[in-house]
Amino acid sequence: MNYVELNNGLKMPQLGFGVFQVPDLAECEQAVLDALASGYRLIDTAAAYQNEEAVGAAIKKSGLKRADLFITSKLWVSDASYDRAKKGIETSLRKLGLDYLDLYLLHQPYGDVIGAWKALEEAYHAGKIRAIGVSNFYADQLKNLILTCDVKPVINQIEVNPWYQQEQELKLNQAESVQVEAWAPFAEGKHGIFQNEILSQIGKKYGKSNGQVILRWLIQRGIVVIPKSVHKNRMEENFDVFDFELSADDMQIIAKLDRNESQFFDHRDPATIEQIFGSSLAQLKTN
């Protein structure tokens, strides 16, 4: 395993396991158990995924030492205020059955970000969270938070994959000493990414799959990555990416695959923001 050192000195595994879109609690619990058995120690969940209880149950069943694990969760926009964030943190800890979280993120850059961040800072100082960060923040939103907060975010978790390489955002985050973490590294299989001939030709040189090439490409860019799968054989394949290194030519070839387009949605689109907020939008406007 490779590790990155966050700007507060905390070390974090560079490859982890995500549980987005695994709402079935029994399936999620088994997936996390399989991931831990395969060697993963970084587990990424969120309040919005509605599976924190399953992650906590798997951690307990695994028998692994808490100190050997790196557990991340996230605050949803419905709790994006000082008072609600304080409750949201406690809810995540309770559902996970943990005394502390290694990393806790603001899931979206909406709502009372500054108020919510203050609650995260207090939990950080109290030892309930070892590191705090953000998710889906553009560089200007991140800069605004940095200029107004006391504790600097350690991570910005954003969409990064071969179709959406985010080179400029990566550079801007790195300039602020904020670690980039990639969600959707496989672009959810869109545009035939697992069958892409260019990635396949690179993989053949190393005896690796398209997925393994993608993960290695992200790792060599200094990015933390959290692939998801409910299949143990795929988890093991995704974990097997530390015994080869892509050449500079390989990295340049993959760079040319960039479509510079999100495979999901524009986080700055007002319609998207309203959709993400849902019923919490009206509540925010009245506060």
Side-chain angles (χ1 to χ4, degrees), residues 131-252:
I132 55 178
V134 298
S135 181
N136 300 308
F137 276 53
Y138 289 104
D140 59 321
Q141 296 166 326
L142 178 66
K143 187 67 173 181
N144 179 65
L145 179 60
I146 290 172
L147 291 173
T148 53
C149 70
D150 294 322
V151 179
K152 189 175 189 178
V154 298
I155 268 183
N156 190 6
Q157 188 182 108
I158 60 176
E159 178 191 354
V160 189
N161 52 63
W163 310 147
Y164 194 44
Q165 300 191 13
Q166 298 262 50
E167 186 63 30
Q168 186 63 19
E169 291 291 319
L170 178 60
K171 289 179 179 177
L172 291 168
N173 277 268
Q174 289 174 336
E176 296 286 354
S177 299
V178 174
Q179 174 68 48
V180 169
E181 183 175 16
W183 60 263
F186 302 137
E188 295 205 328
K190 295 180 180 179
H191 302 296
I193 200 166
F194 292 119
Q195 295 79 38
N196 181 269
E197 187 60 29
I198 293 173
L199 294 172
S200 295
Q201 288 299 320
I202 292 173
K204 285 178 182 178
K205 295 193 297 182
Y206 306 99
K208 298 294 182 179
S209 68
N210 284 24
Q212 288 171 315
V213 169
I214 292 167
L215 294 176
R216 186 68 211 180
W217 166 74
L218 287 161
I219 288 169
Q220 287 182 213
R221 293 176 77 203
I223 297 171
V224 172
V225 60
I226 45 171
K228 178 211 78 176
S229 178
V230 295
H231 305 291
K232 195 168 189 293
N233 63 330
R234 181 59 65 84
M235 296 176 196
E236 292 171 346
E237 178 183 304
N238 291 341
F239 197 78
D240 186 22
V241 292
F242 296 104
D243 60 349
F244 76 109
E245 184 172 331
L246 298 173
S247 69
D249 286 343
D250 294 333
M251 297 292 287
Q252 290 176 3

Side-chain angles (χ1 to χ4, degrees), residues 4 179 197 263 273:
V4 297
Q179 174 68 48
E197 187 60 29
Q263 302 305 296
I273 297 172

Side-chain angles (χ1 to χ4, degrees), residues 34-53:
D34 288 342
L36 293 171
S38 299
Y40 294 88
R41 293 296 179 264
L42 162 59
I43 305 296
D44 180 277
T45 185
Y49 300 169
Q50 299 181 16
N51 56 21
E52 288 174 309
E53 299 99 326

Side-chain angles (χ1 to χ4, degrees), residues 32-101:
V32 174
L33 277 169
D34 288 342
L36 293 171
S38 299
Y40 294 88
R41 293 296 179 264
L42 162 59
I43 305 296
D44 180 277
T45 185
Y49 300 169
Q50 299 181 16
N51 56 21
E52 288 174 309
E53 299 99 326
V55 173
I59 291 170
K60 186 175 182 179
K61 283 186 180 180
S62 74
L64 294 169
K65 294 179 180 179
R66 176 65 184 91
D68 293 336
L69 301 175
F70 194 103
I71 309 301
T72 302
S73 194
K74 312 177 193 76
L75 184 83
W76 189 236
V77 293
S78 56
D79 289 325
S81 73
Y82 174 71
D83 290 331
R84 294 197 301 273
K86 290 177 69 173
K87 294 178 182 178
I89 294 165
E90 295 300 329
T91 298
S92 286
L93 287 168
R94 176 178 55 79
K95 288 184 175 182
L96 285 159
L98 300 177
D99 295 325
Y100 68 92
L101 281 158

